[in-house]
Amino acid sequence: MKLIPVITIDGPSASGKGTVAARVAARLGFHYLDSGALYRLVALAASKLENPGEAQLAALAQALPARFEGDRVFLEDRDVSDELRSESVGEAASRVAALGSVREALLARQHAYCRSPGLVADGRDMGTVVFPAARTKVFLSASPEARAERRYKQLMEKGLSANLTALVSEMRARDERDMHRPVAPLRPAPGALLLDTTALTIDEAVEAVLEHYRNTRL
Ligand code: CDP
């Protein structure tokens, strides 16, 4: 069986993962998995339910009626791409993501992205749980202030409202929850390249990941 190269890019909220991962995938002509979007989709679909229990959320994750078309995301037939990026959905995603059975239900869907010629997978547990055998692993970080500023700019560009001080504290709370949950906590995979992007441009971060890929691929 031909080995399919997988690059995992994990890290906290607004560390630049999404942009860097998508650009690395485009440069290499690889597939791209935005695993956070799956948790966001589950959270969004769950917002229609009244007080769902864990089993109900896992069933929802298992049968998630989501479609990705280019950079648009559909839930059933509704384009939810913009709604998905809001902070409230991110917050709700981090809550459903703490449930082991929801994570389990999303595993097969994530594994299905691993197709020739290769995959760049972005999330919290790509290198530790979902693709532990990946040869190229990266853990992106940046200071909370730099991350809050990036998120602020992103939200403004999308015409969404935001408050910088609130963003810093929400970001810290989400980091805490993601790092300290018992299932698949956010932490660097063994052997991952630790890349602090506080003082790096996106292009510099992309180049650093590509160089790490060249050094670690078969
Ligand atoms: O864009 P941002 O980094 O803020 O969020 P995201 O990557 O879209 O992920 C939203 C939430 O989903 C995170 O706060 C995590 O709790 C959860 N998540 C996860 O648990 N595992 C993943 N592989 C990806 C996201």
Side-chain angles (χ1 to χ4, degrees):
M1 197 179 82
K2 189 175 169 295
L3 275 185
I4 295 171
V6 176
I7 302 175
T8 62
I9 304 187
D10 290 305
S13 193
S15 52
K17 284 174 304 155
T19 313
V20 171
R23 290 203 193 177
V24 169
R27 285 276 293 274
L28 297 170
F30 283 8
H31 299 284
Y32 168 50
L33 165 62
D34 171 6
S35 61
L38 298 178
Y39 291 95
R40 286 172 181 266
L41 281 161
V42 174
L44 192 59
S47 63
K48 307 279 176 298
L49 307 175
E50 207 172 307
N51 281 326
E54 181 165 348
Q56 208 180 348
L57 290 168
L60 193 65
Q62 185 79 53
L64 197 63
R67 242 172 344 109
F68 291 81
E69 274 178 29
D71 62 354
R72 307 310 292 174
V73 190
F74 295 82
L75 192 55
E76 283 169 338
D77 283 327
R78 199 158 62 89
D79 183 340
V80 294
S81 321
D82 297 330
E83 203 179 335
L84 217 52
R85 302 318 313 170
S86 75
E87 281 309 286
S88 60
V89 173
E91 168 73 23
S94 142
R95 292 178 191 280
V96 296
L99 303 171
S101 54
V102 169
R103 306 195 71 84
E104 185 73 34
L106 290 175
L107 266 184
R109 194 183 284 257
Q110 295 177 81
H111 288 155
Y113 277 81
C114 184
R115 297 193 312 268
S116 189
L119 173 69
V120 181
D122 136 26
R124 301 292 191 284
D125 61 342
M126 298 296 98
T128 50
V129 176
V130 182
F131 300 107
R135 293 183 59 91
T136 310
K137 299 182 182 182
V138 179
F139 191 84
L140 281 195
S141 62
S143 71
E145 292 73 18
R147 294 191 282 122
E149 259 172 53
R150 287 177 192 169
R151 182 51 49 91
Y152 182 80
K153 276 195 200 144
Q154 264 177 5
L155 293 170
M156 288 292 149
E157 277 162 16
K158 293 203 159 87
L160 297 166
S161 66
N163 170 306
L164 192 56
T165 319
L167 277 178
V168 176
S169 66
E170 280 163 21
M171 204 153 277
R172 286 185 198 277
R174 190 130 70 90
D175 287 353
E176 273 298 297
R177 188 158 50 231
D178 290 351
M179 286 188 295
H180 297 295
R181 66 188 177 205
V183 277
L186 171 66
R187 61 180 166 78
L193 170 76
L194 304 180
L195 193 62
D196 183 333
T197 67
T198 307
L200 295 187
T201 63
I202 290 168
D203 286 343
E204 287 167 338
V206 168
E207 288 309 323
V209 174
L210 287 170
E211 192 193 339
H212 184 52
Y213 170 63
R214 287 191 287 270
N215 293 336
T216 48
R217 72 179 162 184
L218 282 173

XYZ file of all heavy atoms in Angstrom, residues 30-79:
388
model
N -2.247 19.124 -1.775
C -2.803 18.103 -0.882
C -4.251 18.446 -0.512
O -4.687 19.588 -0.642
C -1.987 18.045 0.426
C -0.660 17.337 0.317
C -0.147 16.921 -0.906
C 0.096 17.084 1.468
C 1.082 16.271 -0.990
C 1.326 16.436 1.390
C 1.820 16.028 0.170
N -4.960 17.458 0.006
C -6.289 17.694 0.568
C -6.114 18.439 1.889
O -5.044 18.414 2.494
C -7.018 16.373 0.805
C -7.225 15.595 -0.453
N -8.194 15.924 -1.374
C -6.552 14.543 -0.971
C -8.111 15.093 -2.396
N -7.119 14.249 -2.183
N -7.202 19.084 2.319
C -7.145 19.877 3.552
C -8.324 19.519 4.446
O -9.471 19.546 3.996
C -7.156 21.371 3.185
C -7.387 22.291 4.363
C -6.636 22.154 5.530
C -8.356 23.288 4.322
C -6.853 22.986 6.618
C -8.571 24.133 5.397
C -7.818 23.964 6.542
O -8.037 24.780 7.620
N -8.026 19.177 5.688
C -9.091 18.901 6.664
C -9.084 19.988 7.735
O -8.094 20.162 8.452
C -8.854 17.526 7.330
C -9.659 17.248 8.606
C -11.162 17.255 8.342
C -9.242 15.917 9.234
N -10.196 20.715 7.833
C -10.395 21.704 8.894
C -11.268 21.007 9.938
O -12.498 21.077 9.886
C -11.102 22.930 8.288
C -11.559 23.935 9.333
O -11.243 23.752 10.522
O -12.247 24.905 8.952
N -10.630 20.293 10.873
C -11.426 19.477 11.805
C -12.271 20.338 12.736
O -13.342 19.919 13.179
C -10.525 18.535 12.611
O -9.614 19.284 13.379
N -11.799 21.573 13.023
C -12.583 22.455 13.880
C -13.960 22.727 13.279
O -14.947 22.876 14.001
N -14.019 22.773 11.937
C -15.309 23.040 11.280
C -16.308 21.925 11.605
O -17.511 22.177 11.717
C -15.118 23.163 9.770
N -15.807 20.700 11.778
C -16.723 19.596 12.088
C -17.340 19.795 13.476
O -18.541 19.602 13.666
C -15.988 18.248 12.018
C -15.409 17.892 10.647
C -14.652 16.561 10.720
C -16.516 17.801 9.594
N -16.486 20.185 14.457
C -17.022 20.437 15.808
C -17.958 21.644 15.795
O -18.977 21.670 16.473
C -15.879 20.616 16.810
C -15.149 19.314 17.027
C -13.993 19.008 16.308
C -15.660 18.353 17.890
C -13.351 17.790 16.463
C -15.021 17.135 18.053
C -13.877 16.856 17.337
O -13.258 15.646 17.493
N -17.608 22.648 14.999
C -18.484 23.814 14.890
C -19.835 23.421 14.274
O -20.891 23.889 14.694
C -17.809 24.899 14.037
C -16.682 25.606 14.749
C -15.904 26.524 13.822
N -14.811 27.167 14.518
C -14.882 28.375 15.093
N -15.985 29.089 14.998
N -13.847 28.880 15.733
N -19.795 22.536 13.267
C -21.032 22.096 12.621
C -21.919 21.318 13.602
O -23.141 21.499 13.618
C -20.714 21.215 11.410
C -20.303 21.985 10.150
C -19.566 21.069 9.173
C -21.533 22.615 9.473
N -21.290 20.479 14.410
C -22.081 19.723 15.396
C -22.742 20.706 16.359
O -23.936 20.598 16.666
C -21.197 18.712 16.179
C -21.992 18.050 17.298
C -20.619 17.656 15.234
N -21.955 21.701 16.814
C -22.496 22.677 17.762
C -23.654 23.456 17.139
O -24.687 23.680 17.782
C -21.396 23.633 18.198
N -23.484 23.823 15.872
C -24.530 24.600 15.199
C -25.798 23.756 15.012
O -26.908 24.211 15.295
C -24.002 25.079 13.844
C -24.814 26.133 13.123
C -24.952 27.386 13.981
C -24.145 26.490 11.798
N -25.612 22.514 14.585
C -26.767 21.622 14.395
C -27.447 21.373 15.743
O -28.676 21.295 15.832
C -26.314 20.312 13.756
N -26.647 21.298 16.819
C -27.205 21.007 18.151
C -27.974 22.189 18.717
O -28.823 22.009 19.592
C -26.075 20.628 19.104
N -27.678 23.398 18.193
C -28.356 24.570 18.754
C -29.855 24.542 18.456
O -30.626 25.273 19.055
C -27.710 25.860 18.238
O -27.866 25.949 16.837
N -30.263 23.677 17.520
C -31.702 23.548 17.209
C -32.399 22.595 18.183
O -33.610 22.492 18.199
C -31.890 22.992 15.774
C -31.150 23.759 14.698
C -31.906 25.004 14.280
C -31.164 25.844 13.275
N -29.866 26.401 13.737
N -31.608 21.848 18.974
C -32.190 20.864 19.895
C -32.313 21.469 21.292
O -31.520 22.325 21.676
C -31.300 19.616 19.976
C -30.928 18.932 18.665
C -29.947 17.801 18.918
C -32.200 18.397 17.988
N -33.275 20.974 22.039
C -33.437 21.497 23.388
C -32.726 20.583 24.380
O -33.060 19.392 24.476
C -34.931 21.579 23.717
C -35.221 22.657 24.738
C -36.716 22.854 24.899
O -37.386 23.059 23.847
O -37.193 22.756 26.032
N -31.727 21.105 25.071
C -30.967 20.336 26.062
C -30.566 18.942 25.621
O -30.909 17.957 26.273
C -31.786 20.203 27.356
C -31.699 21.461 28.173
O -30.655 22.121 28.174
N -32.790 21.798 28.840
N -29.829 18.817 24.519
C -29.472 17.478 24.058
C -28.496 16.787 25.014
O -27.632 17.439 25.602
C -28.791 17.745 22.703
C -28.306 19.147 22.795
C -29.243 19.887 23.693
N -28.626 15.488 25.171
C -27.697 14.713 25.997
C -26.533 14.258 25.134
O -26.548 14.430 23.909
N -25.529 13.623 25.782
C -24.323 13.219 25.041
C -24.646 12.235 23.918
O -24.120 12.353 22.810
C -23.270 12.622 25.995
C -22.006 12.233 25.239
C -20.792 11.970 26.136
O -20.830 12.299 27.330
O -19.797 11.436 25.599
N -25.548 11.268 24.177
C -25.853 10.258 23.154
C -26.491 10.926 21.930
O -26.190 10.582 20.780
C -26.789 9.205 23.725
N -27.348 11.894 22.186
C -28.022 12.599 21.087
C -27.005 13.415 20.264
O -27.074 13.454 19.031
C -29.069 13.524 21.694
C -30.240 13.811 20.792
C -31.248 14.734 21.471
O -31.179 14.970 22.683
N -32.180 15.254 20.687
N -26.043 14.020 20.960
C -25.014 14.807 20.267
C -24.107 13.897 19.439
O -23.715 14.233 18.319
C -24.186 15.604 21.274
C -24.940 16.751 21.948
C -24.150 17.306 23.128
C -25.239 17.863 20.940
N -23.799 12.719 19.987
C -22.950 11.777 19.251
C -23.681 11.286 18.005
O -23.079 11.160 16.928
C -22.563 10.607 20.143
N -24.981 11.040 18.131
C -25.771 10.590 16.977
C -25.788 11.690 15.907
O -25.676 11.421 14.704
C -27.188 10.235 17.411
N -25.886 12.917 16.356
C -25.887 14.068 15.439
C -24.536 14.150 14.703
O -24.483 14.359 13.490
C -26.099 15.330 16.279
C -26.440 16.613 15.584
C -27.800 16.486 14.918
C -26.489 17.759 16.596
N -23.455 13.960 15.450
C -22.103 14.015 14.861
C -21.921 12.895 13.845
O -21.337 13.085 12.780
C -21.052 13.915 15.965
N -22.439 11.741 14.178
C -22.310 10.569 13.313
C -23.009 10.797 11.968
O -22.492 10.444 10.918
C -22.966 9.383 14.036
C -22.822 8.051 13.343
C -21.432 7.477 13.610
O -21.034 7.381 14.753
N -20.717 7.126 12.559
N -24.181 11.424 12.029
C -24.993 11.575 10.819
C -24.964 13.007 10.292
O -25.868 13.422 9.570
C -26.427 11.167 11.136
N -23.935 13.755 10.659
C -23.864 15.182 10.336
C -24.149 15.458 8.849
O -23.376 15.047 7.988
C -22.454 15.667 10.691
C -22.233 17.162 10.828
C -23.063 17.723 11.987
C -20.752 17.418 11.073
N -25.263 16.140 8.535
C -25.594 16.367 7.120
C -24.834 17.575 6.563
O -25.436 18.569 6.182
C -27.108 16.606 7.154
C -27.375 17.143 8.521
C -26.255 16.734 9.434
N -23.484 17.487 6.548
C -22.661 18.628 6.138
C -21.961 18.351 4.818
O -21.638 17.213 4.500
C -21.633 18.925 7.215
N -21.742 19.419 4.073
C -21.064 19.338 2.776
C -20.068 20.465 2.668
O -20.370 21.601 3.049
C -22.116 19.580 1.692
C -22.354 18.495 0.746
C -23.538 18.701 -0.192
N -24.549 19.691 0.067
C -24.707 20.810 -0.634
N -23.893 21.097 -1.611
N -25.697 21.651 -0.360
N -18.873 20.185 2.152
C -17.875 21.238 1.917
C -17.765 21.422 0.411
O -17.570 20.452 -0.315
C -16.515 20.822 2.480
C -16.491 20.779 3.984
C -16.986 19.684 4.667
C -15.989 21.847 4.716
C -16.986 19.646 6.059
C -15.980 21.813 6.102
C -16.482 20.712 6.777
N -17.932 22.658 -0.058
C -17.800 22.930 -1.497
C -16.867 24.110 -1.666
O -17.252 25.242 -1.386
C -19.164 23.272 -2.097
C -19.930 22.047 -2.513
C -21.309 22.395 -3.066
O -21.487 23.502 -3.622
O -22.201 21.543 -2.913
N -15.629 23.857 -2.062
C -14.637 24.931 -2.112
C -14.486 25.478 -0.708
O -14.266 24.714 0.226
N -14.646 26.803 -0.543
C -14.510 27.334 0.814
C -15.875 27.586 1.471
O -15.962 28.247 2.490
C -13.622 28.596 0.822
C -14.234 29.707 -0.018
O -15.264 29.460 -0.691
O -13.686 30.828 -0.006
N -16.940 27.035 0.887
C -18.267 27.172 1.508
C -18.654 25.878 2.227
O -18.270 24.778 1.806
C -19.360 27.468 0.452
C -19.097 28.628 -0.472
C -18.704 29.911 0.221
N -19.749 30.525 1.014
C -19.565 31.601 1.796
N -18.371 32.148 1.894
N -20.559 32.109 2.473
N -19.394 26.041 3.310
C -19.834 24.877 4.091
C -21.353 24.896 4.192
O -21.948 25.934 4.497
C -19.261 24.922 5.531
C -19.511 23.600 6.239
C -17.788 25.256 5.527
N -21.958 23.748 3.940
C -23.419 23.660 3.986
C -23.854 22.673 5.056
O -23.267 21.598 5.211
C -23.964 23.183 2.633
C -23.723 24.158 1.524
C -22.492 24.195 0.875
C -24.712 25.061 1.150
C -22.251 25.115 -0.138
C -24.472 25.986 0.142
C -23.242 26.012 -0.516
N -24.897 23.060 5.792
C -25.524 22.153 6.744
C -26.914 21.889 6.153
O -27.697 22.822 6.010
C -25.620 22.821 8.120
C -25.978 21.941 9.303
C -25.035 20.766 9.448
C -25.970 22.768 10.587
N -27.173 20.641 5.797
C -28.285 20.324 4.915
C -28.128 21.231 3.693
O -27.065 21.219 3.112
C -29.621 20.439 5.642
C -29.750 19.200 6.505
C -30.838 19.156 7.514
O -31.350 20.203 7.947
O -31.173 18.031 7.890
N -29.126 22.068 3.356
C -28.907 22.873 2.157
C -28.586 24.325 2.449
O -28.551 25.164 1.558
C -30.105 22.751 1.220
C -30.033 21.409 0.506
O -28.903 20.943 0.246
O -31.091 20.812 0.268
N -28.317 24.610 3.719
C -28.090 25.992 4.135
C -26.591 26.307 4.140
O -25.802 25.546 4.700
C -28.672 26.169 5.542
C -28.928 27.589 5.955
C -29.961 27.602 7.077
N -29.503 26.900 8.266
C -28.818 27.480 9.258
N -28.529 28.751 9.204
N -28.434 26.782 10.315
N -26.199 27.433 3.517
C -24.795 27.861 3.539
C -24.534 28.487 4.916
O -25.045 29.561 5.226
C -24.560 28.886 2.419
C -23.089 29.305 2.353
O -22.357 29.119 3.348
O -22.674 29.815 1.296
